[in-house]
Amino acid sequence: MTNEKTVVLLIEDEPQMRRFLRITLEGHGYRLIEAQSGQEGLTEAATRSPDVVLLDLGLPDMDGLEVTTAIREWSGVPIIVLSARDREDDKIRALDAGADDYLTKPFGAGELLARIRVALRHLSLQQAGGEDPVFALGNLRVDFAKRQVLRDGREVHLTPIEYKLLATLIRHAGKVITHTLLMKEVWGSGYSDQTHYLRIYMAQLRHKLEADPARPRFLINEPGIGYRLRIEQEEDR
């Protein structure tokens, strides 16, 4: 999808950052639309149908969280937040508001391009979700129709909670999912603050599905924020 037909909407008021992103993205074949305020960004998002939105939180007219919430009322377009705010609670609020990913400034061009590729693949997986009941990633294969999980061609027995946790991660593959959202989707709203359950079951999943649980390839921890099912390897950056 990295070609002229892939449209990226950049909502950013800082001229130097816009210039850096313009050079980076257009140099890699993306078509870039720029907006310098939240309201302008919402208008462009509604009228230009971008494939990905890059969003700064510190906009002159409104907070980027408001922009995220507004876009999520009518669109599932991937939103990658770009912000100088590096506190965990800022990241969590952005992700809970509907952002797909979060990059803290300053960041490298390679990292940004990798996150865009992941966001686009996550979108394509979502769009194809109803067509193929089988999810395959590396040596991992999940057949949802049979509720069967295979690692290296061998069936792996998962408990109902482990299976539900894995299915939730697959449904959001490539996206950071906060602890709170995972707890609500897997255990229910009454358990949203019981994150120790999540750590226990994630450790069990890693032992069953990862070749090296201490250095997971797929089930990635985002410290203080949540987890991500990684669908693009670090070396691809």
Side-chain angles (χ1 to χ4, degrees):
M1 297 184 70
T2 52
N3 53 51
E4 292 180 341
K5 295 181 181 179
T6 302
V7 178
V8 177
L9 169 60
L10 171 63
I11 308 175
E12 166 67 69
D13 66 319
E14 185 183 338
Q16 288 183 330
M17 179 58 68
R18 286 204 312 275
R19 181 176 183 276
F20 162 68
L21 293 172
R22 187 184 310 124
I23 293 170
T24 298
L25 295 171
E26 291 182 348
H28 284 80
Y30 292 98
R31 180 185 169 199
L32 185 65
I33 300 170
E34 298 181 36
Q36 300 181 40
S37 68
Q39 193 56 57
E40 184 184 356
L42 288 174
T43 300
E44 295 288 4
T47 58
R48 306 289 285 275
S49 299
D51 298 296
V52 180
V53 174
L54 303 181
L55 172 65
D56 180 33
L57 293 184
L59 297 169
D61 59 336
M62 58 195 299
D63 192 276
L65 293 178
E66 297 177 78
V67 177
T68 300
T69 301
I71 290 176
R72 280 292 171 259
E73 290 178 356
W74 49 269
S75 174
V77 61
I79 300 173
I80 301 175
V81 168
L82 312 176
S83 179
R85 304 177 193 173
D86 59 357
R87 297 190 312 174
E88 289 178 0
D89 57 343
D90 288 320
K91 298 178 182 180
I92 290 169
R93 280 198 295 269
L95 294 166
D96 282 343
D100 293 77
D101 210 341
Y102 194 113
L103 270 175
T104 303
K105 298 176 181 177
F107 50 81
E111 183 175 14
L112 173 64
L113 293 168
R115 298 295 180 93
I116 291 174
R117 290 195 300 269
V118 168
L120 290 170
R121 187 173 174 199
H122 173 234
L123 180 63
S124 68
L125 286 171
Q126 279 189 316
Q127 293 172 340
E131 302 172 11
D132 189 354
V134 176
F135 176 84
L137 179 64
N139 63 345
L140 177 65
R141 180 182 173 89
V142 180
D143 188 323
F144 290 105
K146 298 178 180 178
R147 293 180 66 87
Q148 183 183 57
V149 180
L150 302 176
R151 174 187 161 192
D152 295 321
R154 297 182 179 182
E155 186 168 3
V156 178
H157 173 71
L158 299 183
T159 68
I161 288 292
E162 289 169 350
Y163 180 84
K164 192 172 183 180
L165 179 56
L166 178 62
T168 301
L169 289 166
I170 289 174
R171 189 165 64 252
H172 299 282
K175 178 178 178 177
V176 181
I177 317 176
T178 63
H179 295 129
T180 300
L181 181 57
L182 270 174
M183 292 300 300
K184 285 182 179 178
E185 292 204 16
V186 178
W187 281 271
S189 57
Y191 291 83
S192 60
D193 59 346
Q194 306 293 320
T195 56
H196 60 283
Y197 288 130
L198 187 55
R199 289 193 297 271
I200 292 169
Y201 279 94
M202 187 60 71
Q204 292 174 183
L205 264 185
R206 283 174 171 159
H207 277 282
K208 292 183 178 182
L209 301 179
E210 297 279 6
D212 183 356
R215 299 180 62 188
R217 181 182 177 193
F218 304 120
L219 304 170
I220 305 303
N221 177 38
E222 297 286 344
I225 300 172
Y227 293 92
R228 178 204 307 262
L229 179 67
R230 185 162 63 191
I231 55 178
E232 177 162 324
Q233 300 307 296
E234 297 293 331
E235 56 266 25
D236 291 339
R237 295 182 181 182

